[in-house]
Amino acid sequence: MSIVINHLTFAYTEGGKRLAPTLKDLTFTIEEGEFLGIIGHTGSGKSTFVQHLNGLLPSEKDTVLVDGHDLSEKAERRRARELVGMVFQYPEYQLFAESVAEDIAFGPKNMKLEEPEIDRRVRHAMELVGLDYERFSKRSPFELSGGERRRTAIAGVLSMEPKYLVLDEPMAGLDPKGRGNILALLEQIRRESGCTVIMISHSMDDIARHATKVLVLEKGEIAMLDTPQNVFSHADKLESLGLSVPNVTKICTEMNKRGISIPTTICTEAALLDWFKGVKHHA
Amino acid sequence: MIQFDHVTFRYENADEPALCDVSLRIEEGSFVAIVGHNGSGKSTLAKHINGLLLPSSGTVTVCGLQTNLEENILPIRQQVGMAFQNPDNQLVTTIVEEDVAFGPENLGIEPNEIRSRVDEALASVGMTNYAEKAVHHLSGGQKQRIAIAGILALKPRILVLDEATAMLDPSGRKELIDTVKSLHKTGMTVLMVTQYMEETTECDRIVVMNHGKVVCDDTPKAVFSEVELLAESNLVPPETVKVRNALRELGYSIPDSVLNAEQLAEAVCPLL
């Protein structure tokens, strides 16, 4: 199963007038089990695109299909929303319930699950995001720290046990440790449930380390869709799109400038250290 | 220019103080980064500089004026411009140039002067072409640049950025950091609270906060060689420094002064 995007074009309207399209004729498939990183300049259409993945923005017939469910149809859309979990930017601003547990239970309740199943899911989601059930379940979300609130909001999406997890800049505003925690959480969910992750991020380092495929959007069109290694080896093109490359790629580029021939497809610390170990081995 | 003397600050109902006996001196024209994990007190510290928060004990003096005297607050805020993380909370009007003009208009500045300040401020954040656009159509990053333009239009002597780059894309962030650097070169005193260690390598100083205390206050070179102190403070060094340290373990001798990709390549290539 997969999410099929088929000639998706979208334009916002203002005062009844159709504005220039934000998304232009996107066609590609998000395969199950992938970790798709989405990068692009501000205004490139990233957030608009992901809001199509669970029908928050309207699509035309046969343009967005989640496991075969056509999101242009209301009943199908409802089904797809149970498959696609959506974590928005600064999701902690959307917390509303009186306690952490109630907030996380909101989604499963709407899915009309039985009480014991809801309870199991709340506990499991809290465990995943690293919030101790005994300590946090009864507390008001508003008494928590920023990082804890962010994790509560993410748990509220995980409790629906989505097959596809979409996150729009989930690490924005978190400290380095908080960022590391979220990324480790995503890796764990992928390992345990095979969940497909679709993540918008401005951190090229994080995308290089975690994504299995990278989608580069520019003015609502696909500029690149490839492995992180291949995408990040095009430093000039990315810079012309207002993007950058991971730090490790920059190091490789600088080494090449100084006459050391090192592949620019190396974009993670682990790959770079392997290269150095290889050099040592041959020396 | 800015002086903290034994400042302790406690939020209402908090068990522990958010700032604990902080003493700090920031000279005119310096470029200082304040780093620390979420909850370390770095934003609380920043909010003391323009009197948004007042010390529970101790004093904060800005341009010779103590923040705990009511009559000093307005003059201090005319000297200290402050930008926050979420631009949606900082914009007040519907059109970009009106928003940038909002501050100077409130100060009763001449219309011609306002026009030139607005144009200059928009140019310095790279948003000249958006002057007549509607604010609600801008992306988060663009809104943030407008918020900063609004501050620049007030011509402050001190600019405090409280995680102002957190929502920007790489080019937006680079543009903002470049803007901040050029403002610093023209004499502006800049304090930058940030989670991104990469942004701090070109500062004069880095102040590391942990549990409401200043645990380190030194040059980037010195701070990033304190591996244990960073780990204790829940911080991670810039990517390049991580790579540098890993290469040292492989036996390459690379000096502490190496903080960016170019410097690392310069140091390591002759060893290959």
Side-chain angles (χ1 to χ4, degrees), chain A residues 14 42 90 175 242 258 280, chain B residues 38 137 167 169 171 250 266:
Chain A
E14 190 184 60
T42 15
Y90 295 85
D175 61 28
R258 288 166 179 77
K280 277 225 128 127
Chain B
N38 288 124
H137 274 305
M167 291 180 69
D169 64 16
S171 69
L250 288 181
E266 194 69 47

Side-chain angles (χ1 to χ4, degrees), chain A residues 234-280:
Chain A
H234 294 97
D236 290 346
K237 179 159 185 193
L238 289 170
E239 257 153 49
S240 75
L241 300 179
L243 296 168
S244 63
V245 293
N247 269 288
V248 167
T249 310
K250 283 184 200 156
I251 295 169
C252 296
T253 306
E254 292 296 332
M255 287 174 67
N256 276 303
K257 277 190 204 160
R258 288 166 179 77
I260 301 291
S261 175
I262 176 168
T264 49
T265 49
I266 290 177
C267 58
T268 62
E269 186 184 328
L272 181 67
L273 292 179
D274 281 345
W275 183 88
F276 271 96
K277 282 174 196 160
V279 170
K280 277 225 128 127

Side-chain angles (χ1 to χ4, degrees), chain A residues 14 22 32 36 42 115 124 136 150 155 159 170 195 221 250:
Chain A
E14 190 184 60
T22 308
E32 210 174 315
L36 178 71
T42 15
E115 255 333 300
H124 184 58
F136 286 100
R150 175 80 49 98
S159 62
C195 181
E221 292 180 85
K250 283 184 200 156

Side-chain angles (χ1 to χ4, degrees), chain B residues 34-82:
Chain B
I34 303 172
V35 302
H37 61 82
N38 288 124
S40 61
K42 59 188 186 313
S43 285
T44 304
L45 185 130
K47 289 190 182 106
H48 274 79
I49 297 170
N50 68 350
L52 272 179
L53 295 175
L54 299 174
S56 307
S57 66
T59 56
V60 178
T61 312
V62 178
C63 305
L65 302 165
Q66 277 193 14
T67 60
N68 54 358
L69 297 174
E70 181 75 38
E71 66 267 26
N72 286 345
I73 291 294
L74 208 59
I76 286 172
R77 289 196 184 151
Q78 288 178 358
Q79 302 295 336
V80 184
M82 194 149 175

